[in-house]
Amino acid sequence: DNKILKLGKPAVLNNLMIPITGLVDTFWVSNKGSAIDLAAVGMADQIFFIFFSVFSFIPIILTPKITSLHIDKQKYEISNLVKISIKMILFFSLLSSVLMFKSDDIVNIFVKGDKDVKIKAVNYLKYRSVGIPFCLFNNLIFGVMRGLMDYTSAIKINILSQFVNIILDPILINRSGIKGAAIATVYSDILCTLGYTYLLYKKKIINLNQKITEFIPTAKRLFKLGFMIQLRVFLLQIVYIFMNRKILLFDSTGVSMASHIIICKMLNISEILYKGLAMTSSSIIPLEKKNKNEKLVKKRILYFTNIVSLFLVLIYCNNNKFLYFLTNDNEVIKNINSLTKLSVIYLCSSGYATVLEGLLQGHQKIILPSIVSLTMYLPMFLLIYKSTNLIEIWKYSGFLLIIKNFIYFLFLNKIEDKSKKRIIENRM
C-alpha cells in the first residue's frame, strides 16, 4: 500500500493539471463566447488529439521497459532507448505537422452540420496544431521519468507550464477570441518542453558522447508493438468524432453538444485518480514480479479503485454546485442533470477499464487491450448510428465498457494462473 501511494500521489497530481486546464478553457470559452464556440473548441480539440494519439504510443511501451532496465541498473541501455525514442518522436512531429497543415480540409472530413462550428473549429485548430511536436516530446519524457520512478521533477515542470496556460487563457481569449485559448496552450507546451530538455541533461539521462546502437531493430520493435496501439487509439478518436457528428445532427442548437463536452471535461477531472492508479500499476508490476508479488499488487490496486469509485460517485451525484462555474446556460445545465446516472455508470466503468489496462501493461501485455478494444468499436459505431438522443449514446457507451471490463478480468486471471503454474514448476 505504501509503495502504491508513494507512486500514485505524484502520478495523480500530474494528471490533475491537464483536465483542470481543460476546464479553465471550457469556463472562459463558455462565459466569453457561446454554445457554438464551445462546440467548435471541443471538436477541434478532439481532431487534434486524434493526431496526437496516433503518434504518442511510444511511452506506453517504453515505461515498463525502462523500469525493468532501471531495476537491473542498465544505464547504457536506458540512454540508448531514450535517444532512439526521441529520434522517432522528431520524425512523427514532422509527419503530423505536414498532415495538419491544411486545417480546413481536416475539419471538413470530421465535422458535419453547422457552418459556424466548422469555421470556428478551423480557426482554433490552425493555432492548436502548432503545439503537437511539443506535446509529443513532453509525453515521451514524462513516460521516461515514470520508468525511472522519478515523478517529482517532471511534475514540477508540468505544473508550472499548466499554470502559465491558466493565467494566459483569459488574457488571450479577450484579445483574440477562442483562438487565444489555443495560443495559451501552445505557449505552455513550449515552456514544458524547455523544462524537460533541461531535466534530461541535468539528470544525465542522455549521454551525448554515446552513439546510438541497434536503431533500426529497436525502432522496428517499437513500431510493431505500437501499430495495434495506434490503430486502437485512432479508432477510439474516430468513435468520438462520429459521436459528435451525430450529436450535431440531431441538435443544431449546440445545447446537446455543449452538454456532452462539459460532461466529458468533468469526467476527465474525475478519471485522474484512476489514471494515477493505472500509471502506478504499469510501473510497480515489473518491480514486484521479481518478488513474486504481482497478485497481491493487483488485489491492492483494485481495493484502491473501489475506494476511488465510491468517492467519485458521491461527489458526482452532487455536482449541481459546480455546474454554474462551467456554464451559465440553463438548458445545458438541465441537459447535464438528466444524464447524471448514466455518466456515473460510464465514469466507474471507464475508470476500472483504465486501471485494468495499466495492470496488463505492467505484465507487458501491450497489444491485448488494443485487441479487446477493437472488438468493441464496430458495435459502438452501429449503436451510435442508431441513437436519436444524448441519453442513448451514453447508455450504449457505458454498456460496452462493462463488457470490456469483464474480458479484462478474465485475461488477468489467466495471466496470474500461468505465472503461478510457472512458480510451482520451478520449485519442483
Side-chain angles (χ1 to χ4, degrees):
D1 286 357
N2 287 332
K3 287 181 181 179
I4 291 170
L5 290 172
K6 185 178 179 180
L7 290 173
K9 285 188 288 187
V12 167
L13 185 59
N14 181 75
N15 286 327
L16 179 64
M17 293 308 301
I18 297 172
I20 281 180
T21 305
L23 278 177
V24 172
D25 286 347
T26 301
F27 171 79
W28 287 114
V29 170
S30 178
N31 282 273
K32 293 183 177 292
S34 63
I36 296 295
D37 289 327
L38 189 58
V41 170
M43 292 296 293
D45 272 336
Q46 287 195 337
I47 293 170
F48 174 87
F49 279 109
I50 284 179
F51 286 90
F52 172 78
S53 300
V54 166
F55 297 118
S56 63
F57 65 90
I58 293 179
I60 298 173
I61 304 166
L62 202 64
T63 300
K65 180 64 177 175
I66 286 183
T67 300
S68 297
L69 293 173
H70 180 62
I71 292 168
D72 295 333
K73 298 181 179 180
Q74 298 183 39
K75 294 182 180 180
Y76 177 89
E77 286 78 5
I78 291 173
S79 179
N80 191 60
L81 191 56
V82 172
K83 279 185 175 182
I84 291 172
S85 301
I86 290 175
K87 280 202 168 187
M88 292 176 68
I89 286 296
L90 291 174
F91 171 75
F92 292 150
S93 297
L94 177 62
L95 181 59
S96 59
S97 297
V98 170
L99 291 173
M100 295 183 71
F101 182 72
K102 290 189 175 181
S103 299
D104 305 63
D105 296 334
I106 294 170
V107 171
N108 283 330
I109 292 171
F110 295 107
V111 181
K112 300 293 180 184
D114 198 298
K115 281 188 177 180
D116 289 336
V117 174
K118 282 186 183 179
I119 293 169
K120 290 176 181 291
V122 168
N123 191 32
Y124 179 88
L125 188 60
K126 281 181 178 178
Y127 290 89
R128 185 75 176 90
S129 61
V130 175
I132 196 165
F134 306 103
C135 286
L136 289 172
F137 179 82
N138 297 340
N139 186 55
L140 172 67
I141 301 309
F142 189 77
V144 171
M145 299 310 295
R146 280 174 54 204
L148 296 172
M149 303 288 185
D150 180 9
Y151 290 87
T152 306
S153 303
I155 287 171
K156 288 178 180 177
I157 293 169
N158 188 30
I159 289 175
L160 175 61
S161 65
Q162 296 301 334
F163 269 118
V164 168
N165 190 0
I166 290 170
I167 293 167
L168 289 178
D169 252 343
I171 299 171
L172 295 180
I173 291 174
N174 270 332
R175 291 183 179 180
S176 308
I178 63 171
K179 71 180 182 183
I183 296 170
T185 303
V186 172
Y187 277 141
S188 69
D189 288 337
I190 293 172
L191 177 62
C192 191
T193 295
L194 293 173
Y196 280 164
T197 302
Y198 172 74
L199 183 62
L200 286 177
Y201 289 105
K202 182 182 177 182
K203 289 187 169 291
K204 298 180 180 179
I205 295 172
I206 294 180
N207 183 355
L208 294 177
N209 297 321
Q210 176 185 320
K211 292 183 179 180
I212 295 177
T213 59
E214 297 187 343
F215 177 81
I216 293 177
T218 302
K220 281 183 177 179
R221 284 196 298 271
L222 290 174
F223 270 120
K224 186 178 178 180
L225 288 171
F227 176 77
M228 290 298 293
I229 297 172
Q230 286 175 298
L231 182 60
R232 168 205 175 184
V233 174
F234 177 75
L235 289 177
L236 177 61
Q237 294 299 327
I238 295 296
V239 168
Y240 288 147
I241 292 293
F242 182 66
M243 189 183 296
N244 288 347
R245 287 177 58 179
K246 184 69 177 180
I247 294 169
L248 286 172
L249 286 174
F250 62 63
D251 180 15
S252 60
T253 65
V255 170
S256 291
M257 189 66 210
S259 305
H260 179 69
I261 289 170
I262 289 174
I263 291 172
C264 288
K265 296 290 186 183
M266 292 168 62
L267 290 178
N268 286 341
I269 281 282
S270 303
E271 288 176 347
I272 58 172
L273 294 174
Y274 293 118
K275 289 179 180 178
L277 286 170
M279 290 170 69
T280 302
S281 301
S282 64
S283 299
I284 200 172
I285 288 289
L287 177 65
E288 293 302 321
K289 280 181 77 173
K290 292 182 178 294
N291 300 324
K292 308 295 187 295
N293 283 336
E294 64 266 34
K295 190 171 183 178
L296 178 60
V297 169
K298 187 195 86 168
K299 182 179 178 181
R300 301 313 297 168
I301 287 286
L302 293 179
Y303 169 77
F304 283 112
T305 305
N306 291 333
I307 292 176
V308 166
S309 298
L310 179 61
F311 171 74
L312 291 176
V313 167
L314 292 174
I315 294 294
Y316 206 81
C317 288
N318 296 279
N319 62 10
N320 282 331
K321 297 178 182 178
F322 306 107
L323 289 178
Y324 289 96
F325 289 100
L326 301 176
T327 179
N328 52 15
D329 190 317
N330 289 325
E331 284 299 315
V332 172
I333 292 173
K334 183 179 177 181
N335 220 23
I336 292 171
N337 285 331
S338 68
L339 289 161
T340 298
K341 290 181 180 178
L342 288 174
S343 55
V344 165
I345 293 171
Y346 181 91
L347 168 65
C348 294
S349 302
S350 177
Y352 274 95
T354 299
V355 173
L356 292 172
E357 286 173 6
L359 288 166
L360 288 168
Q361 288 169 15
H363 283 286
Q364 299 289 309
K365 302 299 179 182
I366 306 295
I367 296 178
L368 181 58
S370 297
I371 295 172
V372 174
S373 295
L374 288 173
T375 60
M376 300 285 108
Y377 290 147
L378 180 58
M380 189 67 219
F381 275 114
L382 294 174
L383 291 172
I384 292 172
Y385 178 75
K386 290 185 177 182
S387 300
T388 57
N389 55 60
L390 204 55
I391 290 175
E392 289 183 358
I393 286 177
W394 280 91
K395 185 189 299 181
Y396 296 143
S397 301
F399 174 71
L400 289 175
L401 274 172
I402 291 171
I403 295 175
K404 181 192 284 190
N405 285 333
F406 177 73
I407 296 171
Y408 282 163
F409 269 113
L410 290 179
F411 276 112
L412 272 172
N413 288 335
K414 190 175 181 179
I415 291 168
E416 288 174 357
D417 289 342
K418 285 184 178 179
S419 178
K420 185 177 180 180
K421 186 178 178 180
R422 281 196 300 268
I423 293 170
I424 292 173
E425 288 175 351
N426 290 334
R427 286 177 179 175
M428 292 176 65

